[in-house]
Amino acid sequence: MNILETWVGIVLLVIGINIVSLFMIKKEVPILAWFLLVIVTIMSAVRNNIGEDYSSYIELFFLCDVMDDILPYPEISFQILSTIIKKAELGYQCVFAFYSVAIAVFIWKSAKVYAKDRRYILLFISLWIISAFDMGWWFSMNVVRQYLAVAILLYAYRYLIENENKKYIIWCLIAAFIHISALVMLVLPLLLKIHISKGIYIILTCVAIVLSFTSFKYIWVGWIISQLGIYESYIDFVPLDTNVGLGLSAWFFLFQFLFLVTQLDWRIRDEYVIGVLLSLCTIMKFVLVRPYSRIVAFFSAVFIIAWIILLYKNKIRQKTLLITSVVFVYSVTFLYGINAAQTGHDTDLRASAGNITYKANLSFGDDR
């Protein structure tokens, strides 16, 4: 299928379902959300050769066997999953199906937790689908192990809001079992105890923007890589030219942040926690370069929660117009992000990187 038959079609489907929901009673709207989530989950589960890591996961699938040897990479959870699938005489496509379904489960659980008004469950799912820039459905098809960890933590943020840190830490460790980068998120309970004001976070964001136009951004990241020894092979990718621009991604987060953070009341616990996560996301979006920029994904989906909170608590006269505008902007980022993915991996040797032509793989049998 070409782009018009798939990605534009997904956008039109989301918009169409949201229009239909306007003529339904509130308690029936979640049915549409569930239907929409099932469709995109199936598309994700049976996709063929789409996603940065798709082709590399196939190699890892055949390499991993915990009955023979436990490898230092990837995480043991992936090695166990691959071993079980192979012992069941099934193929590598089952790996993608498993992660797609698992991600969908936690996205659905999150939607039900954060959308106190049932009608907004559909909006939550819709925004997750038609967003890009490491926060939504497209990103989940590119870095599947990390995004399952992201989806788990998205659900677990409820415990930060409820100030139940022990439960949050347990879920954070579960996420780290899926992708080790989730361990970084253990710092959040400590950070939230240091009550930094909204104004300070806005100032820090402005400082991050200024620094992003200087060589400090790249010198700092280069130093971090050299000192920690983590991802040393990436050091050659750290740009030395600061005139290449920051891209639409950073500005997309910035404009949302400026609007949402001014609307959130930090005297209320849930809005304070979400406001801090929005701030951290935006700051890191400007000062980090890859591979560390992927940490931003743990925060970015919180923008969807912020929109839901804003719409739920405020009796906005033109609420329908605001929802329509948000859906439209997210749709544009979705299509832009896919187009950027097509041209953004020119130096990537993986066959699946940058591929956006949708094809299905319905073969779940043993590939050996």
Side-chain angles (χ1 to χ4, degrees):
M1 296 184 183
N2 60 37
I3 301 173
L4 291 178
E5 292 175 330
T6 51
W7 314 120
V8 173
I10 286 295
V11 169
L12 294 177
L13 174 64
V14 170
I15 293 173
I17 287 179
N18 276 269
I19 292 173
V20 170
S21 72
L22 298 176
F23 303 96
M24 299 178 65
I25 59 176
K26 185 185 296 185
K27 67 179 182 179
E28 294 178 348
V29 173
I31 298 175
L32 289 178
W34 181 85
F35 172 74
L36 185 59
L37 183 60
V38 168
I39 289 177
V40 296
T41 299
I42 292 173
M43 287 188 65
S44 177
V46 302
R47 73 190 184 279
N48 180 46
N49 213 34
I50 291 179
E52 292 178 28
D53 292 337
Y54 187 98
S55 51
S56 58
Y57 277 144
I58 296 174
E59 296 176 7
L60 287 173
F61 173 79
F62 290 113
L63 187 63
C64 294
D65 188 342
V66 295
M67 304 298 289
D68 180 43
D69 188 23
I70 296 178
L71 305 174
Y73 176 85
E75 286 80 1
I76 186 64
S77 58
F78 181 87
Q79 297 184 51
I80 293 173
L81 176 63
S82 298
T83 301
I84 292 174
I85 290 174
K86 285 188 288 188
K87 295 301 179 184
E89 298 185 350
L90 296 172
Y92 63 79
Q93 193 64 35
C94 293
V95 171
F96 301 102
F98 170 84
Y99 282 107
S100 297
V101 172
I103 289 168
V105 167
F106 280 98
I107 292 298
W108 179 257
K109 288 170 69 70
S110 297
K112 292 179 67 177
V113 166
Y114 301 115
K116 298 177 181 178
D117 185 325
R118 286 189 177 186
R119 190 175 295 277
Y120 292 138
I121 292 179
L122 176 60
L123 181 61
F124 189 104
I125 300 298
S126 297
L127 293 183
W128 174 71
I129 293 171
I130 56 172
S131 61
F133 308 132
D134 60 48
M135 67 186 299
W137 179 52
W138 177 253
F139 189 77
S140 76
M141 291 194 288
N142 282 269
V143 283
V144 294
R145 285 185 302 118
Q146 184 189 353
Y147 202 86
L148 176 53
V150 168
I152 290 171
L153 282 175
L154 180 63
Y155 171 75
Y157 290 149
R158 62 176 296 187
Y159 297 115
L160 287 178
I161 292 171
E162 296 165 3
N163 206 18
E164 296 188 45
N165 291 334
K166 289 183 180 179
K167 290 183 179 180
Y168 171 76
I169 290 171
I170 291 172
W171 279 106
C172 197
L173 293 175
I174 292 172
F177 181 64
I178 306 298
H179 199 274
I180 195 67
S181 62
L183 287 177
V184 176
M185 307 306 288
L186 286 171
V187 74
L188 284 182
L190 296 175
L191 184 61
L192 289 171
K193 286 185 178 181
I194 307 172
H195 202 289
I196 302 174
S197 69
K198 181 190 299 188
I200 295 298
Y201 271 116
I202 292 175
I203 292 173
L204 291 174
T205 303
C206 293
V207 171
I209 294 171
V210 172
L211 291 178
S212 69
F213 287 100
T214 70
S215 60
F216 173 81
K217 171 180 177 178
Y218 307 104
I219 293 172
W220 176 72
V221 174
W223 181 83
I224 289 291
I225 293 175
S226 300
Q227 294 298 311
L228 295 181
I230 300 175
Y231 292 119
E232 282 187 302
S233 60
Y234 282 83
I235 199 164
D236 293 335
F237 290 104
V238 178
L240 299 176
D241 182 6
T242 60
N243 298 317
V244 294
L246 295 169
L248 179 60
S249 178
W251 300 110
F252 172 68
F253 283 108
L254 176 62
F255 292 134
Q256 286 189 91
F257 164 75
L258 291 175
F259 176 76
L260 291 169
V261 80
T262 56
Q263 300 297 316
L264 294 174
D265 185 351
W266 285 32
R267 294 170 298 181
I268 303 173
R269 174 72 183 183
D270 58 345
E271 297 186 35
Y272 164 69
V273 172
I274 297 303
V276 170
L277 297 181
L278 293 181
S279 303
L280 293 173
C281 178
T282 309
I283 291 170
M284 290 189 295
K285 199 67 183 175
F286 279 92
V287 298
L288 293 183
V289 300
R290 63 175 186 164
Y292 298 95
S293 59
R294 279 174 56 167
I295 295 297
V296 177
F298 287 107
F299 301 89
S300 56
V302 177
F303 277 91
I304 299 174
I305 301 176
W307 282 113
I308 299 297
I309 289 176
L310 176 64
L311 291 166
Y312 177 75
K313 77 167 189 172
N314 292 320
K315 294 182 179 179
I316 303 172
R317 183 172 299 177
Q318 298 296 332
K319 186 175 291 188
T320 302
L321 178 61
L322 177 58
I323 292 174
T324 302
S325 300
V326 173
V327 170
F328 173 77
V329 171
Y330 270 60
S331 298
V332 171
T333 67
F334 176 74
L335 296 175
Y336 176 88
I338 289 174
N339 184 60
Q342 186 178 30
T343 58
H345 297 279
D346 296 334
T347 60
D348 200 315
L349 299 178
R350 291 172 294 182
S352 57
N355 179 35
I356 63 172
T357 302
Y358 186 84
K359 293 181 180 179
N361 179 10
L362 300 178
S363 175
F364 291 92
D366 195 337
D367 310 283
R368 289 172 290 182

